[in-house]
Amino acid sequence: MGPDDTEQEQLPDSILDQDLYKFCMQQAVIEHYPDVHVEYGFVNRDATAKFDQQSFGWLKARIDALSGVVATEQDIAYLRSTCPYLSEDYLQFLSEYRFNPSAEVFCSLDKDKSALALTIKGRWSQVILYEIPLLSFISEAYFKFVDRDWNYDGQYEKAVEKGNKLVQAGCNFAEFGTRRRRDFRTQDIVMAALLDIRKDAPGRLTGTSNVFFAQKYNVPPIGTVGHEWTMAIAALEGTYENGNSLALRKWHETFKGNLGIALTDTFGTKAFFANFDHDLASKYDGVRHDSGDPMPFTVAVCDHYRSLGIDPATKVIVFSDGLCPASAISIKTHADRCGIKCAFGIGTNFTNDFTCASSPSVHSKAANIVIKLFKCNTKNCVKLSDVSSKHTGSADELERAQSELLNAGLLGTL
């Protein structure tokens, strides 16, 4: 059993099939670090998810085809009218941008272990756009050729039901599912469904991270910044203790208060809040939670704002860590009690929530994959999440970062 292969493959040759924050980060990289070279690596967090030669061949063909994907005049016009924080200099750069996967993406299959290896190398401003399309290709390759025990039955109805639960509970949410979608068609079904949810409820769909679908369905593209921005700056500037502060200030220099949601868990929330002083807390609209327990985090955020003389009711927390409607609604109730606004980014639960076609009572496991930044120039990069299973980087550099933060009294969560 499997998806209907008789339909024409629904993969757009559009540079806009990308999460917004990658375009934003590309602009910031060009401004602040135009000559830095980087290396990214693929990590499969599920050792049971194996790849075969057929899935690898399809993946390799998709990666190679990126060489023909360019920004059209219509794409640039859309970004210009919809995202005024993207500069004219950047849009000119993007109009001339070309993927060069044969020189920048290195992909192989260990046939004995059925394990996929993938690295991306090149100038940061050039290769930053690979992560999202490659992750979506890898997931699609796996579910197209390896795990075929699923179909699209009920996906539209399920997405409508989830969206209605969220908005009826007063949740404002965006669709964040590009990187781990089962395939492009699934995300298209989900977006069509979310436009059909109730419009008279207290909550609403705020948009999607995917720029292609934002344009197609006439909703706002949503996004700010990823961990790699802070990871890279800490490595390049030689400081984990002050890495968050430097990253936040450089981001604000570029976007002047737009895209003003600060990511909190690159080196743990304790280190983040030590850097998030009154000046930065005033400049940024709020913070994003992406790991750890959201309930004590919400309390800690409110306490931190109050310690700075800032009313938490004027700020927002964006929650994006593995959410489903039930968890988002629970967090919303808690945030309301704490006196702070909240919003939600929900990804995998929308675009990779399936049951087995052969046994509909059995859940079909989603991909658990990431591509992370490992090197900037000769410097190793790390992420010290609030959940240790999400740490990334070499063991030696992780130890060095933890030692620096421990000596500064900044290691761990609040």
Side-chain angles (χ1 to χ4, degrees), residues 18-33:
Q18 174 74 264
D19 280 347
L20 174 67
Y21 81 99
K22 280 292 184 174
F23 294 126
C24 301
M25 285 202 298
Q26 188 176 43
Q27 175 173 316
V29 168
I30 292 167
E31 178 177 342
H32 295 283
Y33 297 101

Side-chain angles (χ1 to χ4, degrees), residues 13-52:
D13 290 324
S14 172
I15 201 168
L16 299 186
D17 187 24
Q18 174 74 264
D19 280 347
L20 174 67
Y21 81 99
K22 280 292 184 174
F23 294 126
C24 301
M25 285 202 298
Q26 188 176 43
Q27 175 173 316
V29 168
I30 292 167
E31 178 177 342
H32 295 283
Y33 297 101
D35 298 320
V36 166
H37 282 71
V38 298
E39 180 177 333
Y40 299 84
F42 168 71
V43 178
N44 187 350
R45 291 172 172 165
D46 181 3
T48 68
K50 307 294 187 181
F51 290 81
D52 60 16

Side-chain angles (χ1 to χ4, degrees), residues 20 22 62 136 146 161 173 175 209 237 294-295 398 405:
L20 174 67
K22 280 292 184 174
R62 288 305 310 170
S136 68
V146 181
E161 181 183 3
F173 72 96
E175 185 277 319
S209 61
E237 304 296 342
M295 303 307 188
L398 283 167
L405 292 171

Side-chain angles (χ1 to χ4, degrees), residues 154-168 189-190 192-198 350:
Q155 282 296 303
Y156 172 88
E157 293 79 8
K158 188 184 292 187
V160 169
E161 181 183 3
K162 290 176 181 179
N164 279 330
K165 284 181 180 178
L166 288 162
V167 297
Q168 288 167 8
I189 292 170
V190 166
L194 293 178
L195 259 68
D196 288 342
I197 63 176
R198 290 181 55 176
F350 274 129

Side-chain angles (χ1 to χ4, degrees), residues 94 188 205 269 377:
L94 188 62
D188 200 12
L205 172 69
T269 48
N377 290 339

Side-chain angles (χ1 to χ4, degrees), residues 294-364:
M295 303 307 188
F297 175 85
T298 303
V299 174
V301 170
C302 292
D303 288 345
H304 184 73
Y305 278 127
R306 290 189 186 102
S307 75
L308 299 174
I310 296 173
D311 182 358
T314 65
K315 299 297 181 178
V316 63
I317 304 176
V318 177
F319 295 91
S320 61
D321 181 29
L323 299 173
C324 66
S327 59
I329 291 167
S330 178
I331 293 168
K332 170 75 163 62
T333 301
H334 182 63
D336 287 348
R337 285 199 296 261
C338 291
I340 192 165
K341 294 175 286 188
C342 62
F344 303 92
I346 302 179
T348 306
N349 187 258
F350 274 129
T351 62
N352 210 330
D353 183 15
F354 285 78
T355 58
C356 295
S358 62
S359 182
S361 63
V362 177
H363 183 67
S364 174

Side-chain angles (χ1 to χ4, degrees), residues 185-247:
R185 181 182 172 190
T186 300
Q187 192 172 15
D188 200 12
I189 292 170
V190 166
M191 283 304 303
L194 293 178
L195 259 68
D196 288 342
I197 63 176
R198 290 181 55 176
K199 304 297 190 294
D200 59 348
R204 64 187 178 90
L205 172 69
T206 58
T208 173
S209 61
N210 185 293
V211 184
F212 177 88
F213 287 117
Q215 182 183 38
K216 178 175 180 178
Y217 290 103
N218 194 30
V219 298
I222 301 292
T224 53
V225 68
H227 294 98
E228 71 175 279
W229 178 247
T230 306
M231 292 167 63
I233 289 174
L236 291 166
E237 304 296 342
T239 173
Y240 293 107
E241 181 178 350
N242 298 307
N244 284 291
S245 175
L246 288 171

